[in-house]
Structure formats: structure tokens, C-alpha cells
Amino acid sequence: QDVLELIDGWVKEHLPSVGKRIDSYCHPYTMTEDSYFVMDKVADNVAVFSGGSGRAFKFGPLLGDCMASLLTGEAAPVDLA
């Protein structure tokens, strides 16, 4: 519970328009139904990534470049559509 309170406090301070958390769920294996990674920009200076499970580490440098391109507006090294 302490971790959720810390996260909630950070979100309230840095992303006040997001609202309150309605639920939480933790699972050690996160993968989307189609096995694609999920990355998107949620604010001007905040991007999120999920769906990596145990295989994202193989794509670490590429994922970092893609996430950076989301935030900087530069062209991504691969098609992110």
C-alpha cells in the first residue's frame, strides 16, 4: 500500500488533471493480446511504455530511441504507427 500512496502522490503533484486511481493490479507478466509493445505520450513531457514482459530487454536501445522521439518530436527510428 505504501508504494501506491507514493505513486498517487507523484501523479497528483505532476499530473493533476489525471484524477484519482480507481484500481490497481500487479502481474509479473505484462503482454498485450497482440504481443505488440505499447508506448505513447500522455503529457508534453511524459511518455509511457508497457507490454514488454521478459522480451523488451532485447530491444532496449531501440525502445529508448523510440521513447525519446515521442518526447522530442524527432523522427522515430522505426514506424510507430
Side-chain angles (χ1 to χ4, degrees), residues 4-21:
L4 290 177
E5 290 172 4
L6 289 170
I7 293 170
D8 290 344
W10 188 94
V11 170
K12 184 176 181 180
E13 180 181 344
H14 298 282
L15 305 169
S17 63
V18 168
K20 292 185 177 182
R21 173 178 43 87

Side-chain angles (χ1 to χ4, degrees), residues 2 5 8 11 13 17 23 28 31 37-38 45 48 57 67-68 77-78:
D2 292 337
E5 290 172 4
D8 290 344
V11 170
E13 180 181 344
S17 63
D23 199 1
M31 183 176 272
F37 301 134
V38 175
N45 61 348
V48 294
F57 74 93
M67 293 295 289
V78 296

Side-chain angles (χ1 to χ4, degrees), residues 15-62:
L15 305 169
S17 63
V18 168
K20 292 185 177 182
R21 173 178 43 87
I22 57 172
D23 199 1
S24 66
Y25 179 76
C26 182
H27 194 284
Y29 192 76
T30 57
M31 183 176 272
T32 60
E33 288 185 18
D34 60 7
S35 298
Y36 290 120
F37 301 134
V38 175
M39 61 177 67
D40 202 357
K41 194 170 163 182
V42 295
D44 286 340
N45 61 348
V46 179
V48 294
F49 171 82
S50 184
S53 281
R55 63 194 185 97
F57 74 93
K58 295 181 269 188
F59 301 95
L62 177 62

